[in-house]
Amino acid sequence: LSGAGADPPPDEDRQGSARSPERPPGADALYRLRILATTDIHAQLLSYDYFTNRPLRGLGLARTASLIARARAEQPEAILLDNGDFLQGSALADLAATERNRHRPHPSILALNALGYDAVALGNHEFDYGLGLLRRALGAARFPALSANIALRLGPAPLQDELLTAPFALIRRVLTARNGQARPVTVGVLALTPPEVLDWDHTKLDGALAARPMVEAARAWLPELRRAGADLVVCLAHTGIRDLTCEDRSEGLAAEIAELPGVDAVISGHSHEVFPNTAAYADPRVDAPNGRLAGKPAVQPGHSGSHLGVLDFDLSPRPGPGGGWRIASARTGLLSAADLPQGRAAPALRQAAAPLRSALARDHRAALAWTRQPLGRSALPLTSYFALAADNQALRLIAAAKLTYARQALRDRPEAGWPILAAITPFRAGGRSGPLNYTDIPPGPLSVRHIFNLYPFPNTIVLSRITGAQLIARLEASAQVFAQIRPGQPDQPLLDPHTPYFVFEDFPGLSYRIDLSRPRGRPGRIRDLRLGGRVLGAQDPLVLVSSSFRLGTMPELTGEVLLSPGLPVTDVIARHIRDQGELRPITGPGWSFRPMPGTSVIFDSGSGAPAHLADVAHLRPQALGLTETGFHRFRLHL
C-alpha cells in the first residue's frame, strides 16, 4: 500500500471533524479502516490538576475517553494507539515513582488498559524515572510498547540491534464492506523515540541504553513490516512537524519520516501541537489544512488528552490471490475534548470514563492525600506570568533552595569557598502547553502540590565546577529565547517563536543586562555582567547548581561534575520550605533588559497575568486584550 496520492479530505472535514464525506461511486465495495490516536498524555488521566487542586478544563484522558467511545461506535473495529509520553507529568505519575508504590501497577498503564489501547510508542518522558520503573510499568501492560531505535546494545546495522522493546506490532482486524463482504487486514505499527533522551536523562541511562537516529531505524525496519505481513503501515513518530524556519531539525522529523517508502500514515507528537491546522508552513511537504506530510495522511493530537486524532481509510482489495489492499481515499481529523459538555450535561462523558475512573480511584485518593501535605507558608505570591520578561521571585525561591543544599553538601570540600550559583528555568511559562501553563500560587499555606507547580519535572540535582567563560556562554545561549529587537520600533515580538521557553536560564546573584538589539545566537547580548560587584574573569572557578536535564543537554557548558546524588530537585525545594517555615521576598542582584528608548515589545501571558503587572512595572505594561489562543497580550516598553 501507499498513502501517496490518497484523496484529500473535503472542505467540511478540514477543521478537525472525523465525519466521513459522501462516499464515492462503488463505495459499497470499499472497506473502512479507522485508526485513533492520542499523544503526550503526560499522566493527565482524570481531568484533575493536582498541582492547582482543581479540575482540568478541556484536558485529561477521562474526557478523551468519550471521544474514543464515540469514534468506536461509528467504527467498532477501530484501532487505538498512543504516541508516547504517558508515564510522566502529573502527581499520579510522581507518586507512582516512589518506593511505597513499587508493587502497584502504574496508573497510566491502568488507564490505557481500561480504554483498550492496541499499541503505544515510547516517548522520551517514559525514561524520566529510570529504566527500572519503566520496565515495571510496562510489565502490567495489556498492549505492546514499541520503539525501533532505543537499544540495550547497537549492532552493526539496525536490524542487528538488541532493542529494549519490540520495534513494531501487527494488529489484525476483520473489515466489512457495505455490501456485507468481510476481509481481514493487518496494520503494521512502527514506533520511533527521540534518541536525544540519552542526553536528557543522562544520569539515569548512561551506559544502560543506546539509540539510533529515527530516520535510519525506520528506513531499515519498514521492509521488515511488509515481510511480516503488514498491509498498511502507520508510524508512531514521537517527533514534531518542523517548519523550515526552525533551526533545530532534531525536534521535528515527522515530514522526513513520512517521505520514507513504505510509510502509509504518520502520527506525530512531542511538540504538543495539533495537526491538521490552519498554519502556513514554508516546508512544501507540509499540507496543514489537509493533514498531509509528504502526501501521506498525518495527525498530531495535541497533549494531555486535549484531542483525539482520527485517520479514516477507504480500502479496496486488489484482484487476485494475495493481492492485498489499495487505499482508495484517506481522511484525517481531530476531535477536541474542549468541545465536550461539562458537568451534569455530560452523562455520556461520565459513562465513557467510568472504567478509567474505577481503575484509578485508589491512585486518585492517594495523590490527593500526598499533594495536600502541608510544608510551610509564603508571605508573597509565587507566579511565572512574567518570568520571561523580568526577574522573578518564584524562580528565586528555587535558586535559594538549591544554594542552601549546595552549601551544606560542600561544607567539607575544597570548593566550599568558591562562589556558588544556581541555574533556574521557568518550566511553566505558557508556550505550546497553552495559557493555563503557569505557576500561580497565592500568599498563604504551601503544600506538596505547590512544589510540583513550581517544578513539574523529576530532574535530579547536580553540582559541577565551571569557569566564568562557561557561565557567560550559558547566558548567551539562554538569551536566544528572545527575538532580535530593532531599536526605536514599536510592538515587536519579545520571544523567538521557534525557541522553547525552557531554553532560558537565570542565575540569581549575578547582575547583568540583555541587549536585545544584538542578533540571536551571536556573542555580545550579555552586558554589564557582575558577580559580587566585580567583573567575572574567564577562568574564575565557580560551583554551578544545576539539574540532570541540563547536564545531559549542555555537557560542554556544565563542567566537571562534583556531586550528582540522584536527589530530585523537588525534594530539595520541599526541604527548604520546611526549614524556612515562611517564605519572604528575596532581594539581590538580578537581570534586566538593556534600555532601548522608543522601543516596545509584545508579550503574551496567562489568564492571571493582569493581577501581577507590578512584576513588570518598570516596563510600563499595557494590556492589549486576548489572543485567539486565549493568552493575554501586553505591550512592554524597553
Side-chain angles (χ1 to χ4, degrees), residues 211-257:
R212 283 194 186 272
M214 295 172 117
V215 174
E216 177 188 353
R219 185 179 288 113
W221 280 105
L222 284 166
E224 294 300 305
L225 271 81
R226 300 294 181 177
R227 280 191 280 270
D231 295 310
L232 179 143
V233 172
V234 177
C235 188
L236 290 172
H238 195 82
T239 183
I241 300 169
R242 177 184 63 93
D243 200 357
L244 292 178
T245 56
C246 181
E247 299 167 1
D248 188 355
R249 294 188 65 239
S250 66
E251 294 292 302
L253 293 173
E256 282 83 348
I257 292 165

Side-chain angles (χ1 to χ4, degrees), residues 377-386 392-398 428 438-446 450-451 453-454 573 577 583-586 612 615:
R377 295 184 59 83
S378 177
L380 69 157
L382 301 170
T383 76
S384 61
Y385 290 119
F386 294 101
N392 181 266
Q393 284 293 321
L395 296 184
R396 281 182 175 265
L397 160 62
I398 299 171
R428 301 193 67 190
Y438 290 88
T439 296
D440 190 347
I441 303 171
L446 296 175
H450 295 113
I451 303 305
N453 197 327
L454 285 161
I573 299 170
I577 294 174
L583 302 179
R584 296 191 172 277
I586 302 172
H612 298 279
D615 294 349

Side-chain angles (χ1 to χ4, degrees), residues 22 29 55 100 171 204 261 291 308 382 405 501 555 582 588 619 631:
E22 293 298 320
R100 60 183 167 179
I171 301 172
K204 299 182 182 75
L308 178 69
L382 301 170
Y405 171 82
Y501 56 82
E582 183 174 72
L619 298 175
F631 286 90

Side-chain angles (χ1 to χ4, degrees), residues 308-599:
L308 178 69
V310 183
L311 294 159
D312 277 335
F313 298 90
D314 282 326
L315 307 179
S316 63
R318 295 185 184 278
W325 294 88
R326 181 182 69 86
I327 296 178
S329 63
R331 293 161 299 285
T332 68
L334 298 172
L335 298 175
S336 172
D339 294 337
L340 293 169
Q342 301 281 350
R344 295 182 180 180
L349 173 60
R350 292 193 296 274
Q351 182 180 357
L356 186 150
R357 293 186 182 279
S358 176
L360 299 181
R362 174 178 167 183
D363 301 276
H364 179 62
R365 291 192 298 270
L368 289 175
W370 176 54
T371 56
R372 291 172 180 177
Q373 292 178 15
L375 294 175
R377 295 184 59 83
S378 177
L380 69 157
L382 301 170
T383 76
S384 61
Y385 290 119
F386 294 101
L388 290 173
D391 194 81
N392 181 266
Q393 284 293 321
L395 296 184
R396 281 182 175 265
L397 160 62
I398 299 171
K402 288 182 173 181
L403 291 172
T404 298
Y405 171 82
R407 292 186 187 104
Q408 294 172 348
L410 294 174
R411 274 183 303 188
D412 299 323
R413 295 178 61 100
E415 298 88 2
W418 294 3
I420 305 175
L421 289 171
I424 50 177
T425 297
F427 286 119
R428 301 193 67 190
R432 294 167 179 165
S433 295
L436 297 180
N437 185 39
Y438 290 88
T439 296
D440 190 347
I441 303 171
L446 296 175
S447 58
V448 169
R449 68 182 178 89
H450 295 113
I451 303 305
F452 292 92
N453 197 327
L454 285 161
Y455 200 99
F457 296 106
N459 303 329
T460 58
I461 199 160
V462 174
L463 276 65
S464 59
R465 178 193 186 279
I466 65 169
T467 64
Q470 288 174 310
L471 177 64
I472 294 171
R474 284 182 79 117
L475 289 168
E476 294 283 3
S478 168
Q480 292 186 71
V481 76
F482 302 112
Q484 183 178 8
I485 303 300
R486 298 186 303 276
Q489 298 296 312
D491 295 353
Q492 304 166 72
L494 175 62
L495 301 178
D496 177 72
H498 303 298
T499 304
Y501 56 82
F502 53 77
V503 166
F504 180 76
E505 283 188 307
D506 183 27
F507 303 83
L510 282 180
S511 172
Y512 62 97
R513 291 180 173 185
I514 301 174
D515 186 351
L516 297 178
S517 69
R518 300 283 297 174
R520 292 179 59 255
R522 296 184 186 177
R525 289 195 126 187
I526 303 303
R527 300 293 188 93
D528 308 323
L529 180 65
R530 299 287 188 276
L531 176 60
R534 66 179 183 84
V535 176
L536 186 66
Q539 298 305 314
D540 287 354
L542 304 161
V543 172
L544 173 67
V545 192
S546 188
S547 71
S548 52
F549 175 76
R550 292 297 186 191
L551 175 63
T553 56
M554 305 177 73
E556 72 284 359
L557 299 180
T558 301
E560 174 193 355
V561 174
L562 301 174
L563 291 172
S564 181
L567 182 66
V569 175
T570 49
D571 286 5
V572 171
I573 299 170
R575 183 184 304 174
H576 178 76
I577 294 174
R578 286 194 187 99
D579 291 344
Q580 292 293 308
E582 183 174 72
L583 302 179
R584 296 191 172 277
I586 302 172
T587 60
W591 70 277
S592 62
F593 296 122
R594 194 178 189 194
M596 298 173 67
T599 308

Side-chain angles (χ1 to χ4, degrees), residues 13-54:
D13 288 326
R14 294 183 181 181
Q15 300 304 320
S17 172
R19 181 168 55 85
S20 302
E22 293 298 320
R23 296 172 69 82
D28 285 350
L30 296 178
Y31 295 75
R32 169 65 56 82
L33 172 67
R34 171 166 284 183
I35 296 173
L36 309 174
T38 55
T39 191
D40 297 272
I41 292 171
H42 284 290
Q44 300 293 350
L45 307 175
L46 291 175
S47 301
Y48 192 86
D49 188 343
Y50 300 92
F51 304 148
T52 61
N53 201 30
R54 65 188 181 195

